[in-house]
Amino acid sequence: CGALAGTIVNYILHYFYTFRSRKDHRATFAKFWLIAEIGWGINAGLLFFNVQLFQIATIPAQLTTTAVTFLFSFVMNRRWTF
């Protein structure tokens, strides 16, 4: 429930404040949800590879993974979603 609530709040904030979109909610929310799911996969995959395969400590691995996932999500939402 927490992840769902966070996604909905994040969508609303991005829709009205970050990107000031005027597009239809049905289309934009579906795209936003897809980008969020892909972002989750990128985050999980990169963290696994960084920690398990490349033996990077957890905190630096999470910092770089978070940065990559944030950039992916922001760019995709700006160019495609909103």
Side-chain angles (χ1 to χ4, degrees):
C1 284
L4 176 61
T7 301
I8 292 169
V9 169
N10 202 7
Y11 169 78
I12 291 168
L13 292 173
H14 280 317
Y15 185 89
F16 290 107
Y17 299 106
T18 305
F19 301 110
R20 300 184 190 272
S21 182
R22 301 263 187 247
K23 295 180 180 179
D24 179 59
H25 283 291
R26 281 173 267 168
T28 55
F29 188 76
K31 290 177 180 180
F32 184 81
W33 186 268
L34 179 61
I35 296 302
E37 292 297 315
I38 293 169
W40 179 85
I42 290 170
N43 190 68
L46 282 177
L47 190 58
F48 173 80
F49 285 116
N50 283 336
V51 173
Q52 298 297 322
L53 298 179
F54 300 127
Q55 303 292 314
I56 298 172
T58 304
I59 299 297
Q62 186 62 58
L63 288 172
T64 57
T65 298
T66 300
V68 169
T69 304
F70 167 77
L71 287 172
F72 165 79
S73 297
F74 183 83
V75 169
M76 289 302 295
N77 281 316
R78 180 173 200 127
R79 292 180 180 246
W80 186 55
T81 305
F82 299 103

